[in-house]
Amino acid sequence: MKVFLVEVDDFATFSVCFVSLQLVREREIRNLSAEIESLKNPQNLNPSPRLDELREENTRLKYRLNILKRSLQEEKTHCGKSTMNINQQLQEIFGEAIRTSCPELENPPLAVTPNQQPKFGDYQCNSAMAMAQMLKAKGLKVSPREIAEKIIQNLPDNELVQKTEIAGPAWFNTWTLNLLLHPHLLINGAQPPPLAARKKVVVDFSSPNIAKEMHVGHLRSTIIGESMSRLFEFLGYDVLRLNHVGDWGTQFGMLIAHLQDKFPDYLTVSPPISDLQAFYKESKKRFDEDEDFKKRAYQCVVRLQSKEPDFIKGWNLICDVSRREFQKVYDCLDIKLIERGESYYQELMTEVVKEFDGKGLTQMDEGRKLVFVPGQSIPLTIVKSDGGYTYDTSDLAAIRQRLFEEKADIIIYVTDSGQATHFQVVFAAAQMIGWYDPQVTRVEHAGFGVVLGEDKKKFKTRSGDTVRLMDLLEEGLKRSMDKLKEKERDKALTPEELVKAQRAVAFGCIKYADLSHNRINDYIFSFDKMLDDRGNTAAYLLYAFTRIRSIARLANIDEAMLKKAAETTEVILDHEKEWKLGKCILRFPEILQKILDDLLLHTLCDYLYELATTFTEFYDSCYCVEKDRQTGEVIKVNMWRMLLCEATAIIMAKGFEILGINPVQRM
């Protein structure tokens, strides 16, 4: 254990190691043990009528002590397998101290945050000032410094906080004392903290339209939704990824009518409609210009909704062609989804309308059935004047099914920000009818901005058409290979390794370019910027990762040797760059918790970039492997630094996994 304490003026610093929820139990064990020892003392057992009672009490205390010890050991074993969240555990310690110090305050403020100035410590607690103001409002005059002193006195015994001092304005600051690189991190990898109860999460994302090709507008929903799903899964949630495709409605009557005219034998021979975009445009043109065709299209819609076999077959044919095209994109981006389109909810929509009618929540307006939600600027249209259903009806049916049949605890909708108002009204209507309580169930729209071209206008082709997503991915592959060959990686890698590196760079860069921007904002799509191996890009991080992984190979150290070293080697952090890297590694759980709260994935990208640059500073300043300059022979390996390298790689690999990026060992 390395003691590192810095004192600056009257600022307080304290050091941190390991703590968890065992604090209270450990204290209770100590108290019980002391009481048992007291009862064993003959001086305390003078013959009296209470002797039998005391013996019985002694037996009871021993029984309670054994239960507590077993419980504590189980908790330590369970928590030892997870990557701890230091900030969260510091809040537990200080929360207890604050409540003990000022029991007269209800909900006293608890503010423990990372310190932005490392010379003043790693964490700071800023509660004393606010507590003094709250006490003043109650007519009690207590200075922030007095409160700070009380908090220090009431800090529970633990292994995380070693020393405390008080700062000028009664802030506390913390220094990391022990790196906390427990062997489990290096042996088991980064593991999430245990959940109190396994929760069900539904993530609705991607959602292209059948009979239309996926375009760049679907890119953000697909990438962001997949990454959110991976985060929830890593943290132990039961995740259901749903693809709410547009596979029902008037356009299918139009497409089937066009299919009948152009390919009359479509029931026996699969028609060549691989160019879905062209096929859709042709049918739409006829629908807009030919009144007879329009009438037939509406008749086809009615017959499709009546589920006549020939019409269902035509519909399935169009859907299957679309699915095959969608899957090409999903395979490239490593996306896994369950398709559950609008057609799935058709019968459920009827039930939704009945339920709103039954509760007197609908109003008629020019033949339409509307639902007005208090506090919302626009109503929902749940039945059109022609008796058909709408997107509003479909989304109400979907949220109802997810709440009652899937029993979701969390539902996230990943669509563009233009749909924010629509979902706001849908969620409000679901609450109004009593389907869920927002205090219990989290239902959220994770909106995002649009993809812009380098001219800062909506991303289009030179002819002004929407960019096909497959064209974009293929262009990424081409540019990635060009970049690798420019660096002569084709001469250093086998053909198989080169292809792996090409796909890792191409698709990783496209994903990272999206995820590294705040999803709420628009972002400019630029292959040149995303493939640049300088700055906060996937290309830079992938190269950094392969460099870290190569250090162990350079030292002829394999995975088994690292795992053994993790159990036996003390991590010595004498150099400031070792400390800086160690502290950066420790923030990983805090970063994930923040993203879980706000669903902003760029925070993880920023963290990985900080980790990579911090590692570079460490590696440039601290020898990990020392070689003979003449022979090139390894003469010394600093194993604690090798463990730092391995811990960095483990955290980076887990971060990549959450972002959906596939790193390679050699690039």
Short mmCIF file of all heavy atoms in Angstrom, two decimals, residues 34-55:
data_model
loop_
_atom_site.label_atom_id
_atom_site.label_comp_id
_atom_site.label_asym_id
_atom_site.label_seq_id
_atom_site.Cartn_x
_atom_site.Cartn_y
_atom_site.Cartn_z
N ALA A 34 -17.20 -7.40 21.30
CA ALA A 34 -16.83 -6.76 22.57
C ALA A 34 -17.81 -7.14 23.67
O ALA A 34 -17.43 -7.38 24.82
CB ALA A 34 -16.79 -5.24 22.39
N GLU A 35 -19.09 -7.18 23.30
CA GLU A 35 -20.11 -7.52 24.30
C GLU A 35 -19.96 -8.96 24.76
O GLU A 35 -20.10 -9.27 25.94
CB GLU A 35 -21.51 -7.29 23.69
CG GLU A 35 -22.60 -7.23 24.74
CD GLU A 35 -23.91 -6.73 24.15
OE1 GLU A 35 -23.89 -6.13 23.04
OE2 GLU A 35 -24.95 -6.94 24.79
N ILE A 36 -19.64 -9.85 23.82
CA ILE A 36 -19.44 -11.26 24.18
C ILE A 36 -18.24 -11.41 25.12
O ILE A 36 -18.29 -12.13 26.12
CB ILE A 36 -19.26 -12.12 22.92
CG1 ILE A 36 -20.59 -12.23 22.17
CG2 ILE A 36 -18.75 -13.52 23.26
CD1 ILE A 36 -20.47 -12.84 20.79
N GLU A 37 -17.13 -10.70 24.79
CA GLU A 37 -15.94 -10.75 25.65
C GLU A 37 -16.26 -10.24 27.05
O GLU A 37 -15.78 -10.77 28.06
CB GLU A 37 -14.81 -9.93 25.03
CG GLU A 37 -14.20 -10.55 23.78
CD GLU A 37 -13.65 -11.94 24.04
OE1 GLU A 37 -12.95 -12.14 25.06
OE2 GLU A 37 -13.95 -12.84 23.23
N SER A 38 -17.08 -9.21 27.10
CA SER A 38 -17.47 -8.66 28.40
C SER A 38 -18.23 -9.69 29.23
O SER A 38 -18.02 -9.83 30.42
CB SER A 38 -18.31 -7.40 28.19
OG SER A 38 -18.82 -6.94 29.42
N LEU A 39 -19.12 -10.42 28.55
CA LEU A 39 -19.91 -11.43 29.25
C LEU A 39 -19.06 -12.61 29.71
O LEU A 39 -19.38 -13.30 30.67
CB LEU A 39 -21.04 -11.92 28.34
CG LEU A 39 -22.17 -10.92 28.08
CD1 LEU A 39 -23.12 -11.45 27.02
CD2 LEU A 39 -22.93 -10.63 29.37
N LYS A 40 -17.92 -12.84 29.02
CA LYS A 40 -17.02 -13.93 29.42
C LYS A 40 -16.24 -13.59 30.70
O LYS A 40 -15.76 -14.47 31.40
CB LYS A 40 -16.02 -14.23 28.30
CG LYS A 40 -16.61 -14.96 27.10
CD LYS A 40 -15.52 -15.18 26.06
CE LYS A 40 -16.06 -15.89 24.83
NZ LYS A 40 -15.01 -16.05 23.81
N ASN A 41 -16.09 -12.31 30.98
CA ASN A 41 -15.30 -11.86 32.13
C ASN A 41 -16.00 -12.27 33.43
O ASN A 41 -17.14 -11.87 33.68
CB ASN A 41 -15.16 -10.34 32.07
CG ASN A 41 -14.16 -9.84 33.11
OD1 ASN A 41 -13.93 -10.46 34.13
ND2 ASN A 41 -13.58 -8.67 32.80
N PRO A 42 -15.30 -13.06 34.27
CA PRO A 42 -15.93 -13.53 35.52
C PRO A 42 -16.41 -12.39 36.40
O PRO A 42 -17.39 -12.53 37.12
CB PRO A 42 -14.79 -14.32 36.20
CG PRO A 42 -13.86 -14.69 35.09
CD PRO A 42 -13.94 -13.58 34.10
N GLN A 43 -15.70 -11.25 36.36
CA GLN A 43 -16.11 -10.12 37.19
C GLN A 43 -17.50 -9.62 36.84
O GLN A 43 -18.18 -9.00 37.65
CB GLN A 43 -15.11 -8.97 37.06
CG GLN A 43 -13.73 -9.32 37.63
CD GLN A 43 -12.76 -8.18 37.45
OE1 GLN A 43 -13.06 -7.20 36.78
NE2 GLN A 43 -11.58 -8.32 38.06
N ASN A 44 -17.88 -9.88 35.57
CA ASN A 44 -19.19 -9.42 35.13
C ASN A 44 -20.26 -10.49 35.34
O ASN A 44 -21.40 -10.31 34.94
CB ASN A 44 -19.15 -9.03 33.66
CG ASN A 44 -18.23 -7.86 33.42
OD1 ASN A 44 -18.04 -7.03 34.31
ND2 ASN A 44 -17.65 -7.80 32.22
N LEU A 45 -19.86 -11.64 35.91
CA LEU A 45 -20.80 -12.75 36.04
C LEU A 45 -20.96 -13.15 37.51
O LEU A 45 -20.90 -14.32 37.86
CB LEU A 45 -20.33 -13.94 35.21
CG LEU A 45 -20.34 -13.75 33.69
CD1 LEU A 45 -19.76 -14.97 32.99
CD2 LEU A 45 -21.76 -13.49 33.21
N ASN A 46 -21.07 -12.19 38.43
CA ASN A 46 -21.33 -12.49 39.84
C ASN A 46 -22.64 -13.26 39.96
O ASN A 46 -23.61 -12.95 39.26
CB ASN A 46 -21.43 -11.20 40.65
CG ASN A 46 -20.08 -10.48 40.69
OD1 ASN A 46 -19.04 -11.14 40.72
ND2 ASN A 46 -20.13 -9.16 40.69
N PRO A 47 -22.65 -14.31 40.81
CA PRO A 47 -23.89 -15.08 40.94
C PRO A 47 -25.06 -14.15 41.22
O PRO A 47 -25.01 -13.31 42.10
CB PRO A 47 -23.60 -16.00 42.14
CG PRO A 47 -22.10 -16.11 42.20
CD PRO A 47 -21.59 -14.79 41.72
N SER A 48 -26.04 -14.30 40.44
CA SER A 48 -27.24 -13.47 40.60
C SER A 48 -28.38 -14.17 39.88
O SER A 48 -28.16 -15.07 39.05
CB SER A 48 -27.01 -12.09 40.00
OG SER A 48 -27.00 -12.17 38.59
N PRO A 49 -29.59 -13.73 40.13
CA PRO A 49 -30.74 -14.32 39.42
C PRO A 49 -30.63 -14.13 37.92
O PRO A 49 -31.28 -14.83 37.15
CB PRO A 49 -31.94 -13.55 40.01
CG PRO A 49 -31.46 -13.02 41.32
CD PRO A 49 -30.00 -12.76 41.15
N ARG A 50 -29.78 -13.16 37.49
CA ARG A 50 -29.69 -12.87 36.05
C ARG A 50 -28.67 -13.74 35.34
O ARG A 50 -28.45 -13.57 34.14
CB ARG A 50 -29.32 -11.40 35.82
CG ARG A 50 -30.39 -10.42 36.27
CD ARG A 50 -30.09 -9.01 35.79
NE ARG A 50 -30.09 -8.92 34.34
CZ ARG A 50 -29.05 -8.56 33.59
NH1 ARG A 50 -27.88 -8.31 34.16
NH2 ARG A 50 -29.14 -8.49 32.29
N LEU A 51 -27.98 -14.68 36.06
CA LEU A 51 -26.91 -15.45 35.44
C LEU A 51 -27.41 -16.25 34.24
O LEU A 51 -26.81 -16.22 33.17
CB LEU A 51 -26.27 -16.39 36.48
CG LEU A 51 -25.08 -17.22 35.97
CD1 LEU A 51 -23.98 -16.31 35.45
CD2 LEU A 51 -24.53 -18.12 37.08
N ASP A 52 -28.52 -16.95 34.44
CA ASP A 52 -29.06 -17.74 33.33
C ASP A 52 -29.47 -16.84 32.17
O ASP A 52 -29.27 -17.16 30.99
CB ASP A 52 -30.27 -18.56 33.79
CG ASP A 52 -29.86 -19.69 34.73
OD1 ASP A 52 -28.67 -20.06 34.68
OD2 ASP A 52 -30.73 -20.17 35.48
N GLU A 53 -30.01 -15.69 32.54
CA GLU A 53 -30.43 -14.74 31.51
C GLU A 53 -29.22 -14.24 30.71
O GLU A 53 -29.26 -14.12 29.49
CB GLU A 53 -31.14 -13.56 32.18
CG GLU A 53 -31.71 -12.56 31.20
CD GLU A 53 -32.35 -11.37 31.92
OE1 GLU A 53 -32.78 -11.54 33.09
OE2 GLU A 53 -32.41 -10.28 31.31
N LEU A 54 -28.11 -13.97 31.41
CA LEU A 54 -26.90 -13.49 30.74
C LEU A 54 -26.30 -14.57 29.84
O LEU A 54 -25.79 -14.29 28.76
CB LEU A 54 -25.88 -13.03 31.78
CG LEU A 54 -26.21 -11.72 32.51
CD1 LEU A 54 -25.27 -11.51 33.68
CD2 LEU A 54 -26.14 -10.55 31.54
N ARG A 55 -26.32 -15.82 30.33
CA ARG A 55 -25.81 -16.92 29.50
C ARG A 55 -26.64 -17.07 28.22
O ARG A 55 -26.11 -17.30 27.14
CB ARG A 55 -25.83 -18.22 30.31
CG ARG A 55 -24.69 -18.31 31.30
CD ARG A 55 -24.80 -19.55 32.16
NE ARG A 55 -23.64 -19.69 33.03
CZ ARG A 55 -23.64 -20.38 34.16
NH1 ARG A 55 -24.76 -20.99 34.56
NH2 ARG A 55 -22.54 -20.46 34.87
#
